[in-house]
Amino acid sequence: MDNRSYRQMTVKAAETLFGYYGRNGYDVLYDHSSTKENVGKIVSWFGDTYGRETELSQLDIAIVKKGSDQVLALIEIEEADDSPKTFMGDVFGVLMGDHIRFRGERELAVGAYTTLIVLAKSKVMHRKRNAYLYEEGMKVKSTLSTANAIIGNIVIETFADEKGLYALLSSVLDKALAEEL
C-alpha cells in the first residue's frame, strides 16, 4: 500500500481540524502533506539531546492552545493497523518520552490538561478490547517517571470509515477540550 494513499484520511482530518479549531482559538499542528507553517514532524523523544536516536514516536496532529505551547490533544490515526501492539506502541512511544517537539525546534508542553488520542481504522469496533487497552495503559502510565507520563488522559478507539473518523474525532475532541471551551 502506498504510504501517501493510506494517509489521505489523516491529512483530510488534520486539515478539517485546522479549519475549525484554528478559527476557535487553537493552533493545529500536523504531519504529512504540504510545507505550510503548521505542518511538520511532531515527535516524542527522551533525554537531553534531540536527534533521530532519541525519537520514540511521531504523532499526526497536536491541538495547541493559541499563543502558548500547551498541547491539549495529541492525536495518532492508524489507517492500516488496529492491532493491540500498534495501539500500545503509539501510547507508550509518547508516554515514555520526556519531550514533545514540533519541526525539531518548537518544544511543546504536555500536562494533566493533555489528552493522548489513538484511533485506528477497523472493520470491528473492538469496544471490550479497547477498554482493556485503555485501563491497562492508564495503570502502566501511573507507574512511569517520564515527563510525558503527566499526560492526563488516553483515548483508544476504532472507526470504520472516513465519516466515522470525523464523528469520532469531533466527539473525543469536544470532551478533551471541554475545560478549554
Side-chain angles (χ1 to χ4, degrees):
M1 182 180 283
D2 178 343
N3 191 36
R4 286 178 307 219
S5 67
Y6 89 83
R7 299 303 297 175
Q8 286 180 347
M9 254 195 291
T10 301
V11 171
K12 283 176 155 179
E15 289 173 348
T16 299
L17 294 176
F18 175 75
Y20 177 77
Y21 289 100
R23 289 188 305 271
N24 289 292
Y26 301 94
D27 291 326
V28 179
L29 311 175
Y30 59 97
D31 199 359
H32 313 295
S33 185
S34 71
T35 58
K36 297 176 189 171
E37 183 178 309
N38 64 312
V39 177
K41 279 186 182 180
I42 304 163
V43 177
S44 170
W45 62 285
F46 68 94
D48 297 323
T49 306
Y50 174 75
R52 184 173 172 86
E53 64 280 354
T54 61
E55 286 185 11
L56 291 167
S57 70
Q58 294 181 13
L59 294 139
D60 292 320
I61 304 168
I63 309 289
V64 180
K65 188 174 184 178
K66 198 174 278 300
S68 80
D69 288 321
Q70 284 188 330
V71 179
L72 303 173
L74 289 168
I75 304 166
E76 179 62 22
I77 301 170
E78 296 291 348
E79 293 184 39
D81 185 5
D82 74 326
S83 71
K85 179 180 174 181
T86 298
F87 275 119
M88 298 320 286
D90 289 338
V91 167
F92 289 111
V94 173
L95 294 178
M96 293 188 65
D98 293 316
H99 313 272
I100 302 290
R101 191 168 276 191
F102 176 64
R103 284 190 156 178
E105 56 203 36
R106 182 177 172 190
E107 194 76 18
L108 301 176
V110 296
Y113 49 81
T114 306
T115 300
L116 173 59
I117 302 166
V118 183
L119 308 176
K121 185 177 180 186
S122 177
K123 293 178 180 163
V124 179
M125 290 302 99
H126 297 293
R127 293 192 199 299
K128 189 173 180 178
R129 181 195 74 183
N130 295 346
Y132 172 80
L133 296 175
Y134 164 79
E135 289 168 16
E136 296 305 312
M138 290 297 284
K139 287 178 192 173
V140 174
K141 177 183 109 49
S142 71
T143 68
L144 295 173
S145 61
T146 58
N148 289 354
I150 195 171
I151 287 172
N153 198 17
I154 301 168
V155 172
I156 296 173
E157 295 284 348
T158 49
F159 61 93
D161 54 23
E162 192 170 337
K163 185 177 177 182
L165 170 61
Y166 292 135
L168 182 58
L169 257 177
S170 279
S171 171
V172 169
L173 282 172
D174 284 348
K175 289 175 190 168
L177 301 176
E179 291 181 23
E180 276 298 304
L181 298 174

